[in-house]
Amino acid sequence: MSTALRLLILPIAPVLLAACSTLPASTPAGSTATLALLETTDLHANVLSYDYYKLQDEPSIGLERTAALIAQARAEFPNNLLLDNGDTIQGTALADYQALVKPLACDQTLAIYKAMNLLKVDGGGIGNHEFNYGLAFLSQVTGNQFDVDSVDAAKPRCAGPQFPQVLANVYSVKSGKPLFAPYHIIDKQITAVGADGKTMTSTVKVGIISFAPPTIMSWDKRWLEGRVYTQGVRETAEKFIPEMRAKGAELVVAISHGGLDNSPYSPTMENGNYYLSQVPGVDAMLIGHSHQLFPNATSTVPQFNLPGVDKARGLVNGVPTVMANLWGKHLGVIGLRLRHDGKQWVIDKAQTTVEARGIQNADKSYVQADPAIAKLVATEHAATIAYVQTPVGSTDFRMSTYFADVGDISAIEVVNQAQTGYLAAYVKANLPQYANLPVLSMSSPFKSGSAGVSDFTDVKAGNVALNNAADLYLYPNALYGVKMTGAELKAWLEHSAQRFNTIDPNQTAPQELINTAHPSYNFDTITSKDVSYEIDVTQPPGQRIKRLAYQGKAVDMQQQFLIATNNYRASGGGNFPGLDGSKTVLASPDNNRDLLIAYVTQEKQLTRAKNGAARSWRFARAATKGPVVFHTAPNVLALAQAAGIDNVTLLKADDGAGKGFALYQLDLSK
Ligand code: MN
Ligand code: MG
């Protein structure tokens, strides 16, 4: 809506309200109705079913497809409210384009909000990622005038979404007031059925209130410190819900950008919804942030198996609760069954239903996209595609994983450098207690031929554009930092070394080097001038890491290290010893891929010497009576040589397996 229209409508609204309130309260006791709460969450600017890094359609994501679920749910539940949980405006190259590359003009609306306006969203909460581009940007694109330092008070109110946005637990330091309206009460016209069976119209007053994770204060410290402060989810709910009730809210819907966690309550906890559900007056919870699906009867996620959590029915301490995954993959649908008690609408919880519906059909196909959305954002979409193909830097060497299993770090070191830099900077700013610990990083070759001979990372020398970052870092992981002892570091490397079969030096028949049961993405290695170690593949698993040294000295098993990795690994992915979530000191909201892009952008010119030569590991030397062999793409031996790997030779240009791989030999004696 244009600013002018908004100004026109605002003064009229109270007049309409006054007219309505003069009507007699006509809903008799015993009337019933069903009101559906439809939830989108963590859309992360995925307007379209498109992957901007791979530059290809990705039908498993995108609000243009969630739109089909919304239309279907609205047909099924004519009384409905469509509510968004936040983490809405950041997370794709499209979002970065509109925030950083060609910042949105004051009279323009973000692509994701345009699509949400088209879908007639009824209300929205605010997530942590809304703060990623700073307060001035957030103030502008939401059509606000934040009263905080760093936002120009003289700037006009800009275009924003056409639905109310609420946030109750983030306050301006300058004014002591909430940054957004803390809550909003929607007068929702519904169709109900009287005790006499007759259909009638009624109104239900639905209060929406939202919460962001208080941890935004460390994640976006550079934007937020000294400008805003947070309050705990529980205290905030206890303060505002009675106020909402006093203003007539018959139902209170908590739009809370967080997951579930039953560790002791703290006002700074990230995922406070277990406690929010216990605040009197919370009728339903739309949750998110942890990018999970709830309800989900078969979930093994510990947070969904807490006491009081019914993962099949979608109840948290009795409160109907939904989390609709991420990126538009699902739509949350809470069917609130309402009964009028003569004074107001109340929820019949026993008859309320909770579901999360996916955009993938039972036959694995996907629901159709709403063509109106692609049309609506065609200009922004095309501009973003051009943007991701624009170089952000260059490299003087080819970065590939064809020989990553035998020591080529050309596609690994730059990832480790970006991760190390990020974690070190974060520790310096936020974790002074760890300032003296060495910061290392682990990364693995994500693409090593498991899906075929073209399944290797391969970024040619020359320009590096944003879409190359997806080749270097395949998964949309987030950066995590863990604290480990020297012994745990060694155990991590031992587990990684299970990538290799045990080689018998006395065997004369060829022996396969790679243990394909241990995927390459679980072959973590360090690339640091400060660290060196050997992998002795003649030894059984668990006894292969030799001569592990830090700054030239054998690593002290008690010494502590901070290690940058990803959420998958830090939370138990790959079953690495000690990596069960308990060692995490930083669960960052930033994607490893994004910080890789930031690193390349800042470095500008990547060189072999600076970004592809710090090889920390090699195989322990061993004389074998027969050949040790492995398979990779044909015609790439020169890449091994360029990477300084001088113990590899080509045996057969076609390994005979019919998949296009060549057979190479590794000479362990060199
Ligand atoms: Mn998110
Ligand atoms: Mg989030």
Side-chain angles (χ1 to χ4, degrees):
M1 165 182 331
S2 76
T3 309
L5 266 179
R6 185 189 290 266
L7 291 175
L8 271 176
I9 284 170
L10 282 179
I12 295 171
V15 180
L16 291 175
L17 216 65
C20 287
S21 61
T22 59
L23 294 171
S26 59
T27 309
S31 303
T32 58
T34 301
L35 172 67
L37 305 174
L38 310 181
E39 184 207 35
T40 54
T41 188
D42 296 272
L43 290 172
H44 284 284
N46 286 284
V47 185
L48 301 180
S49 301
Y50 191 82
D51 184 327
Y52 289 99
Y53 292 116
K54 295 180 183 161
L55 294 172
Q56 65 189 34
D57 289 333
E58 180 48 72
S60 70
I61 63 173
L63 184 59
E64 65 171 337
R65 274 175 220 269
T66 334
L69 302 184
I70 293 166
Q72 183 198 42
R74 281 174 166 159
E76 190 181 332
F77 297 99
N79 301 324
N80 61 74
L81 289 172
L82 176 56
L83 302 167
D84 178 69
N85 181 276
D87 274 10
T88 309
I89 69 168
Q90 179 277 346
T92 61
L94 166 65
D96 283 345
Y97 177 78
Q98 295 202 294
L100 305 171
V101 182
K102 190 163 182 285
L104 200 73
C106 185
D107 62 350
Q108 291 178 328
T109 304
L110 285 178
I112 185 74
Y113 286 155
K114 280 166 70 175
M116 291 166 79
N117 288 343
L118 185 83
L119 293 170
K120 304 217 176 309
V121 168
D122 294 288
I126 298 293
N128 52 299
H129 281 287
E130 264 63 62
F131 294 93
N132 288 168
Y133 300 121
L135 289 167
F137 182 78
L138 183 60
S139 182
Q140 177 196 323
V141 301
T142 57
N144 276 290
Q145 286 171 309
F146 292 163
D147 186 14
V148 293
D149 289 337
S150 80
V151 175
D152 181 355
K155 272 205 158 181
R157 193 180 285 270
C158 295
Q162 291 165 2
F163 49 87
Q165 291 180 300
V166 290
L167 179 63
N169 69 326
V170 180
Y171 292 74
S172 162
V173 167
K174 195 169 154 194
S175 70
K177 291 190 177 134
L179 212 54
F180 288 81
Y183 58 84
H184 177 80
I185 297 173
I186 301 170
D187 285 307
K188 177 64 185 171
Q189 281 240 331
I190 57 169
T191 304
V193 180
D196 58 2
K198 285 196 185 133
T199 299
M200 72 182 104
T201 351
S202 178
T203 299
V204 54
K205 287 180 174 290
V206 183
I208 57 171
I209 179 167
S210 118
F211 310 88
T215 28
I216 57 171
M217 294 309 299
S218 45
W219 293 337
D220 273 311
K221 187 174 183 173
R222 66 185 169 135
W223 301 121
L224 304 183
E225 192 176 38
R227 294 167 182 162
V228 302
Y229 61 95
T230 62
Q231 289 196 342
V233 167
R234 185 162 79 185
E235 297 84 340
T236 306
E238 286 168 348
K239 173 180 165 192
F240 285 116
I241 290 175
E243 198 179 305
M244 294 165 75
R245 295 282 182 196
K247 288 192 181 164
E250 292 163 274
L251 308 178
V252 169
V253 177
I255 302 174
S256 188
H257 192 83
L260 301 177
D261 178 1
N262 77 333
S263 52
Y265 180 77
S266 132
T268 56
M269 78 189 294
E270 178 181 352
N271 298 295
N273 293 327
Y274 191 78
Y275 297 97
L276 178 61
S277 71
Q278 296 170 327
V279 174
V282 174
D283 289 312
M285 297 199 303
L286 307 180
I287 65 174
H289 179 62
S290 52
H291 295 183
Q292 290 161 325
L293 197 59
F294 186 84
N296 180 0
T298 58
S299 175
T300 55
V301 173
Q303 295 85 347
F304 297 161
N305 288 283
L306 295 171
V309 176
D310 186 333
K311 65 182 176 183
R313 290 185 61 207
L315 299 171
V316 177
N317 297 311
V319 176
T321 300
V322 79
M323 173 156 31
N325 213 353
L326 75 165
W327 300 352
K329 286 171 180 284
H330 285 76
L331 178 72
V333 183
I334 298 181
L336 290 174
R337 188 67 181 158
L338 305 179
R339 172 174 294 274
H340 207 278
D341 68 5
K343 280 185 264 166
Q344 62 166 18
W345 287 104
V346 290
I347 296 176
D348 179 351
K349 278 187 186 160
Q351 297 213 53
T352 287
T353 56
V354 186
E355 305 160 74
R357 300 176 175 179
I359 61 174
Q360 188 168 32
N361 300 312
D363 67 358
K364 305 280 177 199
S365 65
Y366 294 92
V367 298
Q368 290 295 309
D370 176 348
I373 293 182
K375 213 183 255 179
L376 189 69
V377 301
T379 308
E380 299 93 320
H381 178 58
T384 303
I385 288 173
Y387 154 61
V388 296
Q389 294 173 297
T390 308
V392 292
S394 67
T395 173
D396 76 353
F397 63 109
R398 189 165 162 186
M399 299 185 280
S400 71
T401 56
Y402 299 108
F403 295 98
D405 280 326
V406 294
D408 181 359
I409 59 161
S410 61
I412 310 289
E413 187 179 1
V414 67
V415 173
N416 276 332
Q417 288 173 319
Q419 293 184 167
T420 304
Y422 182 98
L423 181 57
Y426 186 90
V427 168
K428 200 171 167 211
N430 296 290
L431 298 171
Q433 67 271 38
Y434 301 136
N436 295 323
L437 299 187
V439 177
L440 301 174
S441 173
M442 294 271 198
S443 192
S444 56
F446 294 116
K447 297 165 75 178
S448 263
S450 65
V453 73
S454 61
D455 177 35
F456 290 93
T457 298
D458 190 354
V459 177
K460 309 280 193 304
N463 286 330
V464 179
L466 293 192
N467 60 309
N468 297 130
D471 203 7
L472 289 163
Y473 202 102
L474 183 65
Y475 298 107
N477 291 329
L479 183 126
Y480 273 42
V482 294
K483 184 160 70 73
M484 304 293 269
T485 63
E488 288 163 337
L489 172 67
K490 186 165 182 242
W492 189 335
L493 296 172
E494 283 286 6
H495 193 80
S496 290
Q498 291 184 27
R499 175 69 175 158
F500 305 109
N501 291 318
T502 307
I503 300 301
D504 177 358
N506 294 313
Q507 186 176 316
T508 50
Q511 295 181 73
E512 292 283 350
L513 176 68
I514 302 303
N515 167 22
T516 50
H518 186 96
S520 68
Y521 58 76
N522 284 335
F523 178 42
D524 283 351
T525 59
I526 300 172
T527 52
S528 162
K529 287 188 197 78
D530 288 335
V531 177
S532 58
Y533 60 103
E534 293 182 0
I535 298 175
D536 186 348
V537 291
T538 67
Q539 297 301 308
Q543 299 172 36
R544 292 172 171 171
I545 301 302
K546 301 284 161 70
R547 304 161 69 101
L548 175 59
Y550 177 70
Q551 293 185 335
K553 280 185 273 186
V555 167
D556 174 352
M557 292 295 109
Q558 319 299 324
Q559 185 184 352
Q560 294 196 312
F561 295 90
L562 295 180
I563 303 169
T565 178
N566 57 55
N567 58 311
Y568 170 78
R569 180 71 74 243
S571 312
N575 289 315
F576 280 62
L579 286 163
D580 55 2
S582 65
K583 304 292 193 301
T584 300
V585 296
L586 168 61
S588 114
D590 290 322
N591 289 346
N592 301 65
R593 190 190 285 159
D594 289 344
L595 54 101
L596 172 63
I597 291 166
Y599 179 80
V600 175
T601 307
Q602 167 211 310
E603 290 287 297
K604 283 199 167 61
Q605 172 85 57
L606 303 178
T607 67
R608 172 87 72 182
K610 190 161 53 85
N611 309 102
R615 203 179 148 190
S616 286
W617 73 277
R618 56 158 296 128
F619 290 111
R621 285 187 178 81
T624 62
K625 290 186 174 153
V628 174
V629 299
F630 66 99
H631 310 252
T632 187
N635 306 318
V636 288
L637 186 60
L639 293 176
Q641 288 155 352
I645 294 169
D646 53 8
N647 54 352
V648 167
T649 48
L650 177 69
L651 282 183
K652 291 179 189 168
D654 179 348
D655 69 1
K659 290 183 175 167
F661 285 89
L663 189 69
Y664 293 82
Q665 180 174 351
L666 174 71
D667 182 351
L668 284 170
S669 71
K670 281 192 186 167

